[in-house]
């Protein structure tokens, strides 16, 4: 089963699975990073997941070359990551969008929010 999500700035519509590939509980950390060749740097949100989620992502990405992972937060698509090869390390690099914000500011704000949620989830599990 699939549903269609739309990124808020670019308007890109993407079919996504109705079942999440990974859950908030699987997130370990997020950071804002720059990737790519000098002069063509791109600001991304690095999302790091636990080993269990990393294995699942590796398996899915092995068969999904040419497709994309979509970062969905609170039922809103906020980022996209094209899959060019299997993801073997649990590190996901999303280009993030939020209306009224630059790519970098959207990534910074989302990273702060997600890291606060990660901390809250960890505390509740203790």
């Amino acid at each position: 089963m699939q549903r269609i999500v739309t990124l808020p700035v670019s308007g890109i519509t993407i079919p996504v699975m109705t079942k999440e590939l990974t859950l908030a509980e699987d997130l370990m950390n997020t950071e804002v990073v720059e990737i790519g060749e000098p002069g063509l740097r791109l600001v991304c949100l690095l999302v790091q997941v636990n080993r269990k989620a990393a294995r699942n992502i590796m398996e899915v990405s092995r068969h999904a070359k040419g497709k994309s992972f979509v970062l969905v937060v609170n039922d809103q698509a906020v980022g996209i990551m094209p899959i060019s090869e299997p993801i073997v390390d649990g590190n996901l690099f999303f280009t993030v969008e939020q209306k009224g914000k630059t790519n970098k500011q959207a990534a910074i704000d989302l990273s702060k929010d997600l890291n606060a949620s990660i901390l809250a989830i960890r505390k509740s599990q203790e």
Side-chain angles (χ1 to χ4, degrees):
M1 301 264 312
Q2 292 185 345
R3 69 180 177 117
I4 303 294
V5 296
T6 303
L7 291 170
V9 176
S10 63
I12 296 171
T13 58
I14 308 151
V16 296
M17 299 181 309
T18 54
K19 184 176 179 348
E20 300 87 357
L21 182 59
T22 188
L23 301 171
E25 294 81 9
D26 298 323
L27 302 183
M28 300 299 293
N29 183 51
T30 70
E31 293 180 39
V32 177
V33 297
E34 289 187 15
I35 62 171
E37 299 295 321
L40 298 173
R41 307 291 284 170
L42 181 64
V43 175
C44 290
L45 179 67
L46 167 62
V47 176
Q48 297 172 306
V49 299
N50 63 25
R51 288 183 182 192
K52 177 185 167 198
R55 282 191 304 271
N56 193 26
I57 288 168
M58 181 177 65
E59 184 62 29
V60 169
S61 65
R62 282 186 29 209
H63 305 288
K65 188 174 180 179
K67 296 185 179 184
S68 297
F69 285 129
V70 177
L71 180 61
V72 177
V73 177
N74 297 328
D75 291 327
Q76 297 291 320
V78 295
I80 188 168
M81 177 187 159
I83 303 168
S84 58
E85 59 189 41
I87 313 301
V88 297
D89 58 6
N91 292 322
L92 306 167
F93 297 88
F94 290 96
T95 304
V96 182
E97 298 184 2
Q98 188 173 3
K99 284 189 177 182
K101 296 183 181 181
T102 64
N103 174 264
K104 184 174 184 175
Q105 192 59 53
I108 290 169
D109 292 349
L110 184 57
S111 180
K112 286 178 187 176
D113 291 346
L114 289 176
N115 284 335
S117 294
I118 291 166
L119 183 59
I121 290 168
R122 285 187 188 153
K123 284 184 179 183
S124 73
Q125 291 176 338
E126 291 177 353

